């Protein structure tokens, strides 16, 4: 009976205590609302009136509610178990903390001379809090936010792939920079593993196509074309000392041979340094030629001192299946095919420079795979120039015959039709442009008239000014120089579909491998109007400024080649510009520096690799050992380091050509060439040593 009575009494006391606690809290809230004229919402109350009265009311009823709630919780704990007691005690403590916060949380201000208490909950508790409890709560929230921001910043500084993907999701790049921001992923996707001395066929590897679909190579006897397709990676590794299977060290693990096509005939060889790719139709343009004849006679209008090649053949292939679509043959001519120097491709237009006959042939590559003649620029500029001159020659011949002239008509006719009787059409356009410029600038009418007379004699009789009276050097300097430098140097490039950049110079400058010391000129020619638009000497500061500020315009990339649009130059990359200016400031002579820089004009077509690992905004490397240019570089036994631009002291990856242990004879001269895939972390390094087999290494992402 006593136990039952105790149980019943405890249960009654507990329930009464809980009811009293709830009523105490509710009564305190009602008193605050009635005395303080409260208006607000659940997350925050705005109390108008006496802040002291409201504070005392909250403290008193909060203490009472907490005390009664704790007592009731202990009573229920004796009867119903600890769970009920913990719930009630927790509710009471939470209620008291809430009411205490109404007193301490807030910002005491004066409104119209009266004190007011504002208790606002902004974010979690408040934006500004006075009192110890409020300050601790806000300080903790700020520290939490700072910790989150610090963790996010640390994660972004790690520059791992996950962090970059997260950054790409939460940040929007500035307009026009989305591709450049995406290319930063290549800082993490690098060719970090090397397979040395790969078992590969004995071929001469040329390059990857600009879209990365094909790898072009030639047989060692330069008779056959072999085309491979990259199959990407089949193996991976985690540690540096990981041992890959023996099959992984074979060339066919990375490339699949598509076909082998014989291009050259018995007396021809493939020009291994020449290849152009038509990306829209996946056509490849190759060239074969016979041996050079260095002492060939200058007949048929040819230039004296220029070698002759009996047969030069251009082959247009469809790289998908290796079918030869068309051929174009040049006989007894000389075209500089080394590194595509004498040929330039722009969209579907092809410019071929005949150095022996001083003619620029413009061809069009049709979608059907045909090479179609468009025009020839040289002796004649318009299509009907030859017809017009021949008709005039015939009229003059008839006039001489009717007048009883006893001059041998056959010889006279040959003199009129000989290539030395008149200046070529392109040279007449050039001299006329220079003369018009001097005419508009010169104020001395006597000298202008005498200049006009000499100009008339020059273009009519094709004599040099050294054979006639010598005028002032500052007036006739261009004429006297051009009479000795009236040759196309075998280099031309498209600026757009209508304008050509043509380089004029001496015969020695066009034939020799090093033309740095030969004087030369540059002319911009409009093919549609047959006019010279601009003319510069190779030491002109104006042309150099254009070259420095608008270098990308000289590349004249195809509109369909998206990868080629991101090649680093000093007009689109601040690091390349700083490097150029550093060389400029160190130069002893500004004029010699300008000449040296302008020797690269006109640019060779498709001679730069679009690989992102040559992007100077991402990586820094020694350009004396490796660069985007399609040229051989001196080889060393030390690896070539690629350093991050954004983290200047961080090594991203290394490229080491040649054997892993290095060469045994350090005195032997070695050269290396590098073939980088346009967008995959894949590269080939070929080290060539005299009298030894080339050493081929494959660098890929492990």
């Amino acid at each position: 009976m006593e136990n039952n009575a105790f149980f019943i009494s405890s249960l009654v006391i507990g329930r009464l205590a809980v009811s009293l606690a709830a009523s105490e809290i509710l009564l305190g809230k009602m008193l605050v609302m009635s005395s303080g004229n409260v208006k607000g919402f659940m997350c925050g109350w705005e109390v108008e009136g006496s802040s002291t009265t409201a504070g005392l009311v909250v403290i008193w009823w909060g203490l009472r509610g907490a005390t009664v709630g704790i007592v009731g919780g202990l009573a229920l704990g004796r009867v119903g178990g600890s769970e009920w007691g913990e719930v009630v005690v927790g509710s009471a403590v939470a209620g008291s903390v809430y009411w205490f916060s109404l007193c301490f949380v807030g910002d005491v201000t004066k409104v119209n001379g009266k004190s007011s208490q504002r208790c606002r909950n902004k974010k979690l508790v408040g934006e500004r809090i006075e009192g110890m409890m409020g300050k601790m709560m806000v300080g903790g929230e700020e520290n939490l936010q700072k910790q989150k921001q610090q963790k996010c910043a640390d994660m972004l500084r790690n520059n791992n792939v996950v962090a970059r993907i997260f950054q790409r999701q939460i940040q929007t790049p500035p307009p026009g920079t989305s591709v450049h921001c995406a290319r930063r992923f290549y800082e993490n996707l690098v060719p970090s593993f090397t397979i040395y001395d790969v078992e590969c066929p004995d071929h001469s590897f040329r390059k990857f196509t600009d879209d990365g679909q094909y790898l072009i190579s030639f047989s060692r006897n330069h008779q056959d074309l072999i085309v491979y397709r990259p199959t990407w990676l089949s193996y991976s590794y985690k540690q540096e000392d990981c041992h890959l299977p023996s099959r992984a060290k074979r060339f066919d693990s990375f490339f699949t041979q598509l076909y082998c096509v014989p291009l050259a005939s018995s007396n021809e060889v493939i020009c291994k340094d020449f290849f152009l790719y038509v990306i829209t139709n996946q056509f490849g343009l190759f060239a074969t030629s016979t041996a050079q004849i260095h002492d060939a006679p200058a007949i048929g209008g040819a230039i004296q001192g220029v070698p002759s090649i009996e047969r030069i053949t251009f082959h247009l292939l469809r790289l998908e299946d290796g079918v030869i679509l068309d051929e174009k043959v040049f006989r007894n001519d000389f075209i500089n095919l080394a590194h595509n120097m004498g040929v330039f491709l722009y969209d579907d237009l092809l410019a071929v420079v005949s150095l022996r006959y001083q003619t620029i042939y413009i061809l069009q590559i049709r979608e059907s795979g045909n090479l179609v003649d468009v025009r020839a620029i040289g002796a004649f500029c318009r299509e009907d120039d030859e017809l017009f001159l021949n008709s005039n020659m015939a009229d003059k011949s008839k006039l001489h015959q009717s007048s009883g002239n006893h001059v041998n008509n056959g010889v006279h006719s040959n003199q009129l039709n000989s290539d030395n009787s008149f200046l070529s059409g392109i040279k007449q356009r050039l001299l006329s442009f220079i003369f018009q410029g001097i005419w508009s600038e010169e104020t001395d009418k006597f000298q202008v008239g005498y200049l006009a007379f000499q100009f008339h004699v020059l273009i009519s009789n094709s004599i040099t000014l050294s054979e006639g009276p010598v005028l002032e050097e500052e007036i006739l300097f261009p004429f006297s120089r051009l009479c000795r430098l009236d040759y196309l140097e075998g280099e031309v490039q498209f600026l757009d579909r209508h304008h050509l950049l043509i380089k004029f110079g001496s015969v020695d400058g066009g034939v020799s491998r090093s033309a740095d010391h030969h004087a030369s000129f540059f002319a911009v020619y409009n093919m549609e109007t047959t006019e010279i638009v601009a003319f510069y000497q190779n030491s002109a500061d104006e042309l150099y400024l254009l070259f420095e500020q608008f270098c990308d315009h000289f590349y004249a990339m195809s509109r369909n080649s998206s990868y080629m649009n991101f090649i680093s130059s000093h007009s689109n990359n601040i690091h390349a510009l700083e490097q150029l200016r550093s060389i400029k400031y160190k130069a002893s002579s500004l004029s010699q520096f300008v000449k040296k820089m302008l020797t690269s004009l006109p640019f060779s077509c498709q001679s730069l690799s679009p690989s992102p690992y040559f992007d100077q905004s991402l990586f820094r490397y020694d350009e004396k050992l490796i660069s985007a240019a399609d040229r051989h570089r001196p080889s060393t036994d030390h690896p070539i380091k690629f350093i991050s631009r954004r983290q200047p002291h961080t090594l991203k990856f290394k490229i080491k050509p040649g054997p892993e242990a290095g060469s045994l004879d350090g005195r032997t001269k070695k050269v290396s060439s590098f073939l980088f895939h346009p967008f995959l972390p894949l590269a080939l390094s070929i080290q060539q040593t005299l009298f030894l087999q080339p050493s081929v290494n494959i660098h890929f992402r492990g």
Side-chain angles (χ1 to χ4, degrees), residues 423 427 430-431 434-435 438 451 454-455 458 463-487 505-506 519 521 535 537:
L423 296 178
K427 186 176 179 182
L430 182 59
L431 294 179
I434 298 174
F435 175 76
I438 298 176
L451 175 62
Q454 287 292 328
F455 179 74
L458 178 66
I463 63 172
T464 61
L465 291 180
S466 59
E467 298 173 352
V470 179
L471 298 183
E472 295 184 8
E473 183 70 14
E474 63 270 12
I475 298 178
L476 289 182
F477 173 75
F479 292 99
S480 61
R481 295 294 297 274
L482 279 173
C483 287
R484 299 188 297 271
L485 304 173
D486 57 349
Y487 301 102
S506 64
F521 298 87
F535 176 77
Q537 296 185 31

Side-chain angles (χ1 to χ4, degrees), residues 234-522:
S234 303
Y235 307 96
S236 62
Y237 79 102
K238 292 183 179 180
Q239 293 84 17
E240 291 290 339
D241 56 350
C242 179
H243 297 284
L244 296 176
S246 59
R247 177 174 172 79
K249 298 182 179 181
R250 296 174 54 183
F251 186 80
D252 55 6
S253 297
F254 297 88
F255 302 94
T256 301
Q257 180 176 332
L258 298 181
Y259 49 82
C260 177
V261 177
L263 283 184
S265 60
S266 58
N267 60 341
E268 289 183 335
V269 293
I270 298 176
C271 302
K272 64 176 183 177
D273 293 331
F274 177 82
F275 168 68
L276 292 176
Y277 183 59
V278 186
I279 192 171
T280 53
N281 307 103
Q282 292 190 349
F283 294 160
L285 187 66
F286 303 89
T288 59
S289 66
T290 57
Q292 292 186 16
I293 304 174
H294 294 279
D295 54 351
I299 59 175
I303 299 298
Q304 185 68 36
V306 178
S308 177
I309 300 177
E310 181 181 356
R311 178 185 173 94
I312 302 174
T313 307
F314 290 96
H315 307 267
L316 185 65
L317 273 77
R318 186 169 55 222
L319 293 183
E320 184 179 2
D321 51 12
V323 175
I324 299 178
L325 301 176
D326 199 359
E327 294 181 350
K328 180 69 175 178
V329 180
F330 294 86
R331 299 185 182 276
N332 300 318
D333 207 335
F334 183 84
I335 301 172
N336 193 352
L337 298 177
H339 306 290
N340 311 333
M341 294 179 63
V343 184
F344 199 93
L345 176 66
Y346 181 79
D347 289 340
D348 59 341
L349 295 179
L350 188 70
V352 181
V353 181
S354 168
L355 186 60
R356 183 170 173 81
Y357 293 99
Q358 295 291 286
T359 303
I360 303 173
Y361 297 97
I362 306 297
L363 293 83
Q364 185 179 22
I365 302 177
R366 299 288 180 85
E367 293 184 358
S368 59
N370 296 325
L371 293 170
V372 181
D373 293 326
V374 177
R375 60 168 55 90
I377 305 170
F380 310 103
C381 294
R382 297 186 183 273
E383 290 78 2
D384 57 347
D385 284 351
E386 186 176 6
L387 178 62
F388 177 77
L389 289 177
N390 289 337
S391 62
N392 288 340
M393 293 298 177
D395 294 340
K396 288 184 179 181
S397 178
K398 292 179 181 179
L399 179 62
H400 282 287
Q401 289 178 1
S402 61
S403 62
N405 193 350
H406 298 288
V407 179
N408 189 333
N409 290 330
V411 178
H412 185 70
S413 178
N414 291 334
Q415 290 177 352
L416 291 175
N417 287 285
S418 65
D419 294 284
N420 294 325
S421 297
F422 291 95
L423 296 178
S424 63
I426 184 66
K427 186 176 179 182
Q428 288 191 29
R429 299 291 197 279
L430 182 59
L431 294 179
S432 299
F433 176 82
I434 298 174
F435 175 76
Q436 291 175 1
I438 298 176
W439 181 278
S440 60
E441 296 177 0
E442 184 59 43
T443 58
D444 192 337
K445 300 302 180 182
F446 172 77
Q447 291 188 350
V448 170
Y450 194 60
L451 175 62
F453 168 74
Q454 287 292 328
F455 179 74
H456 174 73
V457 173
L458 178 66
I459 64 175
S460 300
N461 300 314
S462 184
I463 63 172
T464 61
L465 291 180
S466 59
E467 298 173 352
V470 179
L471 298 183
E472 295 184 8
E473 183 70 14
E474 63 270 12
I475 298 178
L476 289 182
F477 173 75
F479 292 99
S480 61
R481 295 294 297 274
L482 279 173
C483 287
R484 299 188 297 271
L485 304 173
D486 57 349
Y487 301 102
L488 299 174
E489 280 199 1
E491 297 181 58
V492 67
Q493 74 165 92
F494 282 98
L495 298 178
D496 53 37
R497 293 188 67 87
H498 305 292
H499 293 86
L500 294 174
L501 179 64
I502 307 172
K503 187 175 184 179
F504 292 88
S506 64
V507 177
D508 296 334
V511 177
S512 63
R513 293 184 176 270
S514 178
D516 298 350
H517 303 290
H518 298 278
S520 58
F521 298 87
F522 299 95

Side-chain angles (χ1 to χ4, degrees), residues 104 197 279 298 464 567 579:
F104 290 102
D197 294 326
I279 192 171
T464 61
I567 294 178
Q579 184 177 5

Side-chain angles (χ1 to χ4, degrees), residues 673-686:
S673 58
F674 303 90
L675 308 181
F676 276 75
H677 195 276
F679 53 86
L680 294 179
L682 178 66
L684 294 177
S685 63
I686 302 101

Side-chain angles (χ1 to χ4, degrees), residues 608-645:
L608 298 177
S609 171
S611 172
Y613 302 107
F614 293 120
D615 190 343
Q616 297 193 29
S617 62
L618 300 178
F619 302 99
R620 177 172 55 88
Y621 47 86
D622 189 355
E623 293 197 38
K624 296 180 180 178
L625 302 178
I626 190 172
S627 70
D630 183 17
R631 295 290 191 275
H632 289 87
R633 298 288 179 176
S635 181
T636 62
D637 294 332
H638 303 286
I640 303 172
K641 298 180 180 180
F642 285 74
I643 310 297
S644 174
R645 282 287 187 184

Side-chain angles (χ1 to χ4, degrees), residues 105-214:
V105 176
D107 185 9
V108 180
T109 58
K110 290 287 184 177
V111 180
N112 295 328
K114 297 182 179 181
S115 175
S116 65
Q117 176 76 15
R118 294 181 179 178
C119 303
R120 296 174 182 246
N121 188 325
K122 296 181 179 180
K123 294 182 180 178
L124 293 178
V125 178
E127 190 174 290
R128 299 181 59 198
I129 300 176
E130 288 186 2
M132 185 178 299
M133 183 180 295
K135 290 181 179 179
M136 290 176 61
M137 294 176 67
V138 172
E141 180 67 21
E142 290 179 352
N143 292 333
L144 182 61
Q145 292 286 10
K146 289 181 179 180
Q147 291 177 2
K148 290 181 179 179
Q149 294 176 0
Q150 185 66 29
K151 289 182 179 179
C152 182
D154 293 340
M155 183 175 65
L156 294 180
R157 286 196 202 98
N158 291 333
N159 288 329
N160 54 40
V161 177
V162 177
R164 291 185 184 277
I165 295 176
F166 177 72
Q167 185 179 12
R168 184 181 63 179
Q169 293 297 110
I170 65 175
Q171 293 183 0
T172 302
T177 63
S178 57
V179 177
H180 295 280
C181 294
R183 284 170 66 89
R184 293 178 182 173
F185 278 87
Y186 283 103
E187 293 181 345
N188 304 100
L189 305 174
V190 298
S192 55
F193 191 77
T194 300
I195 299 179
Y196 295 93
D197 294 326
V198 178
E199 300 176 8
C200 65
D202 188 16
H203 294 162
S204 176
F205 297 100
R206 178 66 178 89
K207 65 177 298 185
F208 288 97
T209 56
D210 293 340
D211 57 1
Q213 295 294 321
Y214 307 99

